[in-house]
Amino acid sequence: MLRKNLALTLFITVILASLFVGCNKSRDYKNSSRATGWKMNAKEGGFQYDPKTKEQETGPGLVFVEGGTFTMGRVQDDPMHDWNNSPTQQHVQSFYMDETEVTNLMYLEYLDWLKQVFPPSDENYRKIYEGAVPDTLVWRNRLGFNEVMTNNYLRHPAYAEYPVVGVSWVQAVEFSNWRTDRVNEMVLETEGITSRNARYDVEPGETFNTETYLNAPTLTYGGNDSITRGGKRSESIAKRSKDSTDLYIGREDGLLLPAYRLPTEAEWEYAALALVGLRNYNVYRGKKKYPWDGQYTRSGKRRSRGDQLANFKQGDGDYGGIAGWSDDGADITAQVKSYEPNDFGLYDMAGNVAEWVADVYRPIVDDEFNDFNYYRGNVYTKNAIGEDGKVKVVTMDSIIFDTLSNGKVVARNLPGEILQVPVDENETYLRTNFSKSDNRDYRDGDKRSSRYYQSFADDESESGDGSNRMYNSPVQNVYADSTGELDRQYDKSSGRTTLVDNEVRVYKGGSWRDRDYWLDPAQRRYFPQDMATDYIGFRCAMSRVGSKSKKGKRPRN
């Protein structure tokens, strides 16, 4: 009897085990929906999803920066008494960043593309190219002989791998937008989604734009599905995907990269500190002074002891040191990668040139409201929709040109892009996370920036002179008439108290013109977004989608 019971128990155990294994197999959702149980990717239909989709590829020129927490701001004494970089604890998501600053060669590639697509010899396109050209006159000095840089720095091949300067924040943003489209255009062509060399076979108003392809693919390349070469019909420019669904590539395919953009201030400072290589509590709390480990600007390593670790101004009348061993190797900017990278693999995060970041400048970083991916500068927009219900794509007749405060005219969008308009009540009604399109001055401390403030005055403040603004900066307007003549309207008010407004941007890092005090990643300064200098350049960043770490797993020691 006991044997029979034991055998029965063993039989039941085997059955339950097989059922358990079967249940586990049935719960393998590689080919079926976890929501409905229906099969996916079936030939007869069903939702199409590739479970083997790779993680985000690293875009050209970028390196991976794994996110984390850090002390943003200056913990050490503030001898300059700026009081604009008080320490706050921040957390930054993983992202990608250019390993070097954008070089003259990279920017010349951008200018060459503009010249080919929008020839400046054509009056209709002239301002597009001219608005993108860096200001080479930034090298001039009333009592200095710098004409060799004025004439050669941007275009001479000897300076090809040097960081581009004379570029305003506005121009840096437009370069980033162009770079996004060219990289994704290359991805589609490499994968055989679009025809080879399609970018050369379109009219100026039919250039490729990533968002246009994702939101209205039939309007890509001006809506031309095919072209004629040498009297013969070529393959489709906007070639459809290879699968049976006959759909265009979308975000769900994971093929196209997110946008290149300027890094936020928090991202730039986090990347410059590169705490990933250190296990020191004081460093974690913000005691790290430079992008490298140590308290000095010269190397302490045996093989390179005494060598300068960055390109900066050594002292009055000393931009590199005595010629020879003690020299830092540069008197103006230096070729990128001339010095060792930090622990993230990023070069020149101190010295060489200071760099634009995305943020609007304010003396205070408002960590009480947000301490995750901090950024001041959000201006939310949406795609413009026409009466036919389709998105509006920019044409040559609808390009928006801006006349900057210095009189320079720049194109804020290019043909082929989707026209953007501010978000309105349709997006903000009954929301708690944002209530308007332009959030650059949110929580500045003034009445006007409060959430429920309503102005019943037609001008910029109740008094009409802007005196009630938190940042009472000059209001100057420059307009260009139909003949190109500039109408400069200067602000003659004697009541202005600051240069800070919504049009000034943060720039970070020391430059070849700066003393080592400014090499600290915590230091922050500001400059008008439409002006340029001979010591500010930039590098691009890209958001990471998906896992925090490169492989989606926690690193093990």
Side-chain angles (χ1 to χ4, degrees):
M1 185 70 178
L2 180 62
R3 288 182 179 180
K4 288 184 178 180
N5 290 338
L6 183 62
L8 180 61
T9 301
L10 182 61
F11 176 75
I12 293 174
T13 301
V14 171
I15 294 296
L16 290 175
S18 63
L19 288 174
F20 179 76
V21 172
C23 288
N24 277 350
K25 287 184 178 180
S26 68
R27 295 183 182 276
D28 183 355
Y29 295 106
K30 290 183 179 179
N31 297 312
S32 61
S33 167
R34 192 183 298 272
T36 65
W38 286 100
K39 288 185 178 180
M40 294 189 294
N41 306 317
K43 293 183 179 180
E44 60 273 14
F47 183 74
Q48 300 298 310
Y49 168 71
D50 184 3
K52 298 180 181 179
T53 300
K54 298 179 181 179
E55 66 177 12
Q56 180 179 341
E57 296 289 341
T58 303
L62 302 176
V63 296
F64 176 67
V65 178
E66 183 173 344
T69 185
F70 78 111
T71 301
M72 180 178 177
R74 185 177 175 86
V75 174
Q76 297 90 356
D77 292 338
D78 188 5
M80 299 293 287
H81 301 290
D82 289 329
W83 305 116
N84 68 346
N85 52 4
S86 300
T88 67
Q89 194 72 18
Q90 297 287 336
H91 191 99
V92 174
Q93 275 188 299
S94 298
F95 63 102
Y96 298 84
M97 181 178 273
D98 272 333
E99 65 173 345
T100 71
E101 294 127 343
V102 171
T103 64
N104 286 318
L105 183 61
M106 295 166 68
Y107 203 88
L108 285 174
E109 184 181 358
Y110 168 48
L111 294 179
D112 182 68
W113 183 89
L114 289 176
K115 184 181 290 185
Q116 290 188 39
V117 177
F118 306 104
S121 56
D122 190 318
E123 184 62 28
N124 294 324
Y125 310 142
R126 179 170 56 86
K127 294 186 183 301
I128 295 178
Y129 178 80
E130 291 179 352
V133 175
D135 183 4
T136 59
L137 300 184
V138 294
W139 290 104
R140 285 183 171 169
N141 186 294
R142 295 179 183 87
L143 296 178
F145 182 68
N146 299 330
E147 288 304 288
V148 64
M149 278 86 79
T150 300
N151 296 326
N152 294 285
Y153 184 80
L154 175 64
R155 300 185 184 278
H156 196 285
Y159 292 115
E161 295 299 331
Y162 283 58
V164 66
V165 296
V167 176
S168 69
W169 182 92
V170 173
Q171 290 173 315
V173 169
E174 293 305 316
F175 171 88
S176 303
N177 295 337
W178 167 84
R179 188 176 177 186
T180 300
D181 293 336
R182 302 292 74 76
V183 168
N184 281 326
E185 189 176 30
M186 179 199 69
V187 169
L188 291 177
E189 183 176 309
T190 302
E191 294 292 326
I193 307 303
T194 58
S195 65
R196 186 175 180 82
N197 295 326
R199 61 191 183 278
Y200 298 123
D201 299 309
V202 294
E203 297 297 323
E206 301 172 353
T207 54
F208 176 86
N209 176 260
T210 301
E211 290 302 316
T212 301
Y213 182 84
L214 289 172
N215 290 278
T218 58
L219 301 180
T220 305
Y221 290 121
N224 294 325
D225 279 335
S226 59
I227 59 174
T228 302
R229 293 194 190 98
K232 295 182 179 180
R233 199 73 166 170
S234 72
E235 63 179 350
S236 171
I237 291 180
K239 189 175 177 182
R240 296 172 185 267
S241 59
K242 300 175 182 178
D243 62 24
S244 60
T245 59
D246 202 34
L247 297 174
Y248 291 93
I249 294 296
R251 295 188 197 275
E252 62 275 11
D253 294 287
L255 188 63
L256 298 180
L257 295 176
Y260 283 84
R261 54 176 174 78
L262 291 181
T264 66
E265 181 181 5
E267 286 176 336
W268 193 98
E269 188 171 329
Y270 175 82
L273 284 172
L275 303 178
V276 66
L278 300 172
R279 297 292 183 269
N280 184 295
Y281 181 76
N282 286 331
V283 170
Y284 165 73
R285 296 300 301 170
K287 297 290 187 180
K288 192 175 183 184
K289 187 176 181 180
Y290 299 114
W292 52 85
D293 188 17
Q295 298 296 309
Y296 305 99
T297 62
R298 291 187 182 273
S299 173
K301 296 180 180 178
R302 184 175 181 179
R303 296 184 61 181
S304 58
R305 183 167 297 163
D307 288 354
Q308 288 286 5
L309 297 172
N311 171 26
F312 63 98
K313 184 177 180 179
Q314 312 288 318
D316 291 343
D318 183 359
Y319 287 83
I322 301 172
W325 169 79
S326 65
D327 191 10
D328 67 12
D331 39 27
I332 55 168
T333 57
Q335 182 172 326
V336 297
K337 294 189 176 183
S338 294
Y339 306 92
E340 291 295 316
N342 68 8
D343 288 334
F344 277 131
L346 302 170
Y347 293 85
D348 296 318
M349 295 301 285
N352 217 13
V353 292
E355 299 176 17
W356 289 114
V357 295
D359 293 58
V360 170
Y361 175 82
R362 291 294 187 269
I364 300 297
V365 173
D366 188 1
D367 65 319
E368 292 184 0
F369 184 79
N370 181 43
D371 56 4
F372 180 75
N373 283 351
Y374 186 87
Y375 167 61
R376 177 179 289 280
N378 283 312
V379 179
Y380 299 121
T381 61
K382 61 180 179 179
N383 297 337
I385 307 297
E387 295 180 356
D388 58 357
K390 298 180 180 179
V391 295
K392 292 183 178 180
V393 176
V394 177
T395 63
M396 287 305 303
D397 297 329
S398 58
I399 298 178
I400 297 175
F401 289 97
D402 277 358
T403 304
L404 307 180
S405 61
N406 58 4
K408 190 161 189 167
V409 178
V410 297
R412 286 300 185 97
N413 52 21
L414 293 177
E417 299 178 5
I418 297 178
L419 183 64
Q420 296 295 301
V421 295
V423 298
D424 53 27
E425 194 177 40
N426 291 326
E427 287 75 35
T428 63
Y429 182 65
L430 290 183
R431 283 191 178 274
T432 58
N433 53 332
F434 72 99
S435 57
K436 60 182 181 178
S437 173
D438 189 347
N439 297 273
R440 291 176 295 179
D441 59 359
Y442 181 64
R443 281 174 61 99
D444 270 350
D446 62 329
K447 179 174 62 174
R448 181 176 293 274
S449 68
S450 62
R451 177 176 174 82
Y452 298 107
Y453 175 76
Q454 291 184 347
S455 174
F456 297 98
D458 293 331
D459 47 24
E460 63 175 326
S461 72
E462 289 82 348
S463 62
D465 63 356
S467 59
N468 288 341
R469 291 181 298 158
M470 177 66 174
Y471 295 95
N472 186 25
S473 57
V475 179
Q476 300 180 140
N477 297 306
V478 181
Y479 301 98
D481 59 24
S482 58
T483 64
E485 292 294 324
L486 296 179
D487 177 16
R488 297 180 173 90
Q489 300 178 7
Y490 296 103
D491 188 338
K492 299 181 180 181
S493 171
S494 60
R496 302 307 183 195
T497 58
T498 181
L499 295 176
V500 175
D501 59 22
N502 286 344
E503 308 299 324
V504 297
R505 300 285 172 167
V506 179
Y507 68 95
K508 301 280 284 183
S511 75
W512 65 275
R513 278 194 177 276
D514 295 314
R515 301 292 292 269
D516 63 340
Y517 171 80
W518 297 104
L519 301 184
D520 186 341
Q523 299 293 0
R524 56 200 303 263
R525 292 172 282 180
Y526 66 90
F527 204 70
Q529 67 180 26
D530 52 10
M531 297 179 65
T533 74
D534 61 355
Y535 59 87
I536 300 180
F538 70 101
R539 72 179 74 209
C540 296
M542 179 186 289
S543 299
R544 175 171 173 80
V545 296
S547 61
K548 177 179 183 288
S549 61
K550 193 71 168 165
K551 297 298 182 181
K553 299 179 180 179
R554 292 186 62 188
R556 300 293 182 184
N557 293 330

